[in-house]
Amino acid sequence: MAGSSVKAQTVLLLHGPRQAYQITNGYNVPLLVEDDETLIQTYTIGLNPIDWKAPDYNFGIAALPYIAGRELAGRVAITPQKNSRLKEGDRVLVISTDYRDLRKAAYQEYVVSSDFNVARIPPSISFQQAAGLGVAFSAAAITLGICMGIDFSSVLDGPDLLQLVRSVKSEIIPEDVRAECLQGITDDERAVPGDWVAVWGGSSTSANITVQLARLAGLKVITIVDTAKHGLRISGCSAQRPDLLIDSHDTDRAVDIINKSVGSQLRFALDTRGRDSATVLLEALTRQKRLNEAPPSPPQTPRELKTQTSHLVGLTGLPKETAPEGIAYHTVPIKLFHSVPAVGEALVLWLERLLEQGLIKPPPIIGVESGFDGVNKGLDRMRSGEISGGRLVVDLLA
Ligand SMILES: NC(=O)c1ccc[n+]([C@@H]2O[C@H](COP(=O)([O-])OP(=O)(O)OC[C@H]3O[C@@H](n4cnc5c(N)ncnc54)[C@H](OP(=O)(O)O)[C@@H]3O)[C@@H](O)[C@H]2O)c1
């Protein structure tokens, strides 16, 4: 295949904050270093919010010039040296959470990936659909599996991620996420079928996959979203339809609806928008707790106190205030996906089965650009807020 002989390629380079990515020809094809690494020829790139936020706000740029891009779909050009399920020419998606390793970034014709970060895609899934799925899948699965403790073994023999991270040597879990992985949630608090989870920012692709996986695991879902913009689409999609759909416009009313509908049964919440909506979710988790814990007026018998901790996960931010008693904040330890091979492998093998069996539906593709210059165009469309409710992808090879 071409990849084994080609030495130079075209990439997009970022030369500094608040600049556009520059098309650069004659750049070295990245080298395979580890024996589990594979070279993938990029067919379609999926654009993520971080790809425009990082240069605009100057964060997450590991080196200059920088190569960005967190996900793609393509074909295996060179297989790993070690025995691997990957074969030359396989159609695959690549999830590149390791933003410090520029060899693994998506904005180039050839991309290196560890084989445990690559999932084969069935013929029913197009490159465009696959290119927009991976980051949302890894974020959703780690949110639910680690931060909320869901065991996916009943869903096509999916992973019990919490048990998995507890079984590996703790030194291989990056230090900054070790506490989240090992002490974030106790066994008796793990989410189980029948539990409720509230997802604020239900239009995002990460919310989309979170809702799908939560429902497959038997959880009940509340989606809070701008229903004028997204309500009909979400209600009409069988994979996405929540048990309760709430409009996000009036936040106080939204919290009221959550409390009156599920009350203290709600112990899990994910925010995908930012600090403000995470703070509203905190209010939803605490208001009912306060009511429950208010001293009963005699002569009533004391109500049963709800002592379990509630868990709030922020994908983009958490409330400013320290977590009140009875609430635990979580940030998603996404780096587990590339830094703990057992986690990455469990997730990509499960994703292959979910796609093969049609149990998971890729997020809608709502925009397609083409060629490397299509990346800057696409990112501008994202900056302007045009891309909402799905992914924008860029075809490099038709
Ligand atoms: N920590 C992690 O590991 C991790 C992993 C994945 C994602 N994330 C973060 O989680 C958030 C959601 O990611 P995603 O990929 O799921 O997002 P996404 O699919 O791109 O959706 C984000 C939503 O934000 C709104 N939006 C679109 N353009 C916007 C703009 N220019 N300014 C403000 N809002 C805009 C839209 O919702 P409405 O139309 O409803 O307003 C859109 O549906 C992002 O901030 C991302 O960086 C973090």
Side-chain angles (χ1 to χ4, degrees), residues 47-53 59 71 97 135-136 138-140 143 201-208 225-226 229-230 233 248 271-274 314-317 331-335 363 366 379-392:
L47 301 190
N48 278 266
I50 186 99
D51 301 347
W52 66 267
K53 287 182 185 171
F59 72 95
E71 60 185 332
T97 47
V135 170
S138 54
T143 295
S203 67
S204 69
T205 51
S206 34
N208 177 322
V225 75
D226 179 342
K229 251 169 134 174
H230 305 289
R233 178 179 56 79
S248 57
D271 175 75
T272 77
R273 284 190 80 83
L315 212 49
T316 343
T331 52
V332 183
I334 192 88
K335 60 170 66 165
I366 52 178
L379 294 176
D380 281 343
R381 292 174 68 185
M382 292 175 76
R383 284 183 176 95
S384 71
E386 189 193 318
I387 304 305
S388 153
R391 274 276 183 261
L392 193 153

Side-chain angles (χ1 to χ4, degrees), residues 353-366:
R353 296 195 291 280
L354 289 166
L355 289 173
E356 182 71 44
Q357 301 287 318
L359 282 196
I360 194 169
K361 213 170 155 333
I365 299 304
I366 52 178

Side-chain angles (χ1 to χ4, degrees), residues 11 17 34 76 79 83 94 125 152 176 182 192 196 204 213 216-217 228 267 299 305 307-308 321 326 337 345 349:
V11 303
E34 306 292 340
V76 175
T79 52
N83 247 347
V94 176
I125 303 290
F152 287 110
D176 57 341
L182 302 178
V192 293
W196 285 88
S204 69
L213 294 181
L216 287 171
R267 290 197 302 114
L305 290 187
T307 51
Q308 277 186 312
E321 64 173 284
F337 183 69
E345 182 166 76
L349 293 179

Side-chain angles (χ1 to χ4, degrees), residues 200 251 271 273-282 317-320:
W200 200 294
T251 55
D271 175 75
R273 284 190 80 83
R275 174 171 284 171
D276 289 351
S277 46
T279 306
V280 181
L281 271 180
L282 173 64
L318 283 163
K320 207 171 184 172

Side-chain angles (χ1 to χ4, degrees), residues 30-57:
L31 297 175
L32 302 178
V33 176
E34 306 292 340
D35 67 357
D36 58 4
E37 288 180 347
T38 172
L39 191 73
I40 309 297
Q41 185 173 18
T42 309
Y43 279 56
T44 305
I45 297 168
L47 301 190
N48 278 266
I50 186 99
D51 301 347
W52 66 267
K53 287 182 185 171
D56 286 15
Y57 301 109

